[in-house]
Amino acid sequence: VLNDPASAISPDKPSAWRASTEIGGSPTASESNPGLKVVINEVLTNSAPPAVDVIELINMGSAVVDLSHWFLTDDPNTPHKFVIPTGTSIEPNEYVLISEDNDADPANNGALPAEFFGKAFALSSNGDEVYLFSANADGSLTGYSQGFSFRAADEGVSFGRQVDSQGHIEYPAQSTPSLGAANAGPLVNALVISEIFYHSNKSLADIADAGEFLEITNNGSGKQDLSGWEIAGIGYSFPGGTSLAAAQSLVISKVGAEAFQQLYPEVGGVTVLGPYSGKLSNNGERISLRRPGQPYTEDGVEKTPMIDVDSVRYNDAAPWPEVADGLGKSLERISLTTYADELANWRASAADNG
């Protein structure tokens, strides 16, 4: 059902919709409890002992909600994992914190008291999901659910609910954990995506999208080694030995440095990398700058999680700038020190070709 029929959010956006609060919906009738607005607000998934992982709920509605017998899970296809204890309720605009453990020792989680979710599941620091389901005392689901997936996190970094200027909901890494209080706001790192030219009108030989590129800027005070970093969405991995000095930018070109200079002979004094195997979608997509996290072993295989450093989902549809959609302009970030995944932080370039 629509979250808010009066909202300006387009109904083709996922954030405009939620699961009904009743099994089977409520055809030709209003929901019996349309004000049920308990959501997961913040999660700590990579705690540093003696701290433990935590799931924070907030009641965004106007009435007290009894959470007795509701479920938390790390798999939306298997809701019946952790049962929220009888007698747990949440006041309007208040928080409930549910911890994984009581001593930061997973080895003894089989004997945990009922108020800790660690006996039922664990949140992976390498990326996972977390969902809340409403239910009756007999364990039957009553239709309401809410949750999200998250990527790998640095130790001590939480993920928190963020609503942008268009009403879209994301769960970015937070600048600092604030469990039991209002979210601190998104973490903004030194290296950021600063320009996106996703629909160039320049072509080269048989490559129609040859002119597209991304710009990365180091807004920090020190040189950054980019070895092993990647840009998800275009299939690009930075070569070993690549670095970016403070207050400098580099360009990742669809066709690589030599062809880029043919297309943009006026551009000089900037490092150009590429090519990349994918493309920037002309219809909009999510682009993420990622760096390697702490390696771990799973089933005898060593793996390296990738942590989002900066991420934005751009779009070609209004209210995003229409002149960036094949009319010669790029998307430029307005502020390098504020959240990337926010339409209000992007504008069309003043000059053609970025």
Side-chain angles (χ1 to χ4, degrees):
V1 296
L2 281 170
N3 270 316
D4 180 2
S7 172
I9 302 177
S10 171
D12 67 349
K13 303 296 184 183
S15 58
W17 296 86
R18 61 172 173 82
S20 66
T21 58
E22 300 166 13
I23 296 293
S26 53
T28 72
S30 299
E31 290 192 301
S32 61
N33 191 4
L36 194 58
K37 295 182 179 179
V38 180
V39 299
I40 300 170
N41 190 54
E42 186 177 4
V43 294
L44 180 61
T45 65
N46 190 2
S47 53
V52 297
D53 289 359
V54 180
I55 299 171
E56 176 192 82
L57 308 179
I58 187 173
N59 183 358
M60 304 185 71
S62 57
V64 178
V65 176
D66 183 6
L67 298 176
S68 302
H69 317 298
W70 286 35
F71 292 97
L72 285 168
T73 181
D74 61 345
D75 180 359
N77 296 312
T78 310
H80 300 83
K81 286 198 172 184
F82 173 74
V83 184
I84 297 178
T86 301
T88 305
S89 63
I90 185 168
E91 299 281 342
N93 301 311
E94 292 296 328
Y95 305 91
V96 165
L97 304 182
I98 302 176
S99 300
E100 178 182 7
D101 202 346
N102 58 2
D103 61 3
D105 182 6
N108 61 9
N109 280 1
L112 280 174
E115 64 265 31
F116 299 96
F117 69 82
K119 189 174 182 178
F121 67 92
L123 296 174
S124 173
S125 60
N126 299 312
D128 208 340
E129 297 177 289
V130 58
Y131 278 82
L132 173 70
F133 286 84
S134 64
N136 289 322
D138 63 1
S140 58
L141 302 180
T142 55
Y144 177 78
S145 65
Q146 188 273 330
F148 64 99
S149 59
F150 54 87
R151 293 193 57 80
D154 281 319
E155 188 175 78
V157 175
S158 65
F159 296 99
R161 190 173 187 269
Q162 176 76 16
V163 184
D164 71 8
S165 60
Q166 305 301 302
H168 305 145
I169 300 169
E170 301 290 345
Y171 282 83
Q174 297 292 287
S175 58
T176 187
S178 56
L179 297 161
N183 288 347
L187 172 66
V188 180
N189 291 290
L191 264 72
V192 298
I193 300 167
S194 50
E195 186 174 5
I196 306 170
F197 199 4
Y198 69 90
H199 194 170
S200 164
N201 51 16
K202 289 179 176 286
S203 60
L204 187 67
D206 59 346
I207 306 175
D209 52 1
E212 68 174 53
F213 64 82
L214 285 174
E215 179 188 78
I216 306 297
T217 297
N218 183 351
N219 196 44
S221 58
K223 184 177 180 180
Q224 177 63 60
D225 181 11
L226 298 177
S227 300
W229 289 43
E230 68 180 20
I231 300 179
I234 61 172
Y236 182 76
S237 296
F238 289 86
T242 304
S243 63
L244 184 59
Q248 297 297 308
S249 300
L250 60 77
V251 168
I252 301 96
S253 164
K254 166 68 178 177
V255 292
E258 184 176 344
F260 181 86
Q261 290 302 146
Q262 295 179 41
L263 293 169
Y264 300 99
E266 71 279 11
V267 177
V270 63
T271 299
V272 179
L273 302 177
Y276 50 82
S277 59
K279 74 175 304 294
L280 292 166
S281 172
N282 292 343
N283 299 319
E285 65 174 316
R286 178 167 296 284
I287 298 296
S288 300
L289 175 64
R290 294 174 178 167
R291 63 170 175 78
Q294 184 66 35
Y296 66 100
T297 301
E298 182 178 88
D299 298 328
V301 178
E302 184 172 287
K303 299 181 178 181
T304 301
M306 301 300 291
I307 296 174
D308 279 354
V309 174
D310 201 35
S311 184
V312 57
R313 184 186 295 277
Y314 69 89
N315 204 306
D316 70 327
W320 284 83
E322 295 182 13
V323 291
D325 189 14
L327 298 179
K329 307 295 186 180
S330 68
L331 291 174
E332 289 184 341
R333 188 164 175 167
I334 296 171
S335 170
L336 304 184
T337 59
T338 56
Y339 185 44
D341 208 6
E342 166 59 69
L343 166 64
N345 199 19
W346 294 87
R347 66 188 173 199
S349 61
D352 286 343
N353 302 316

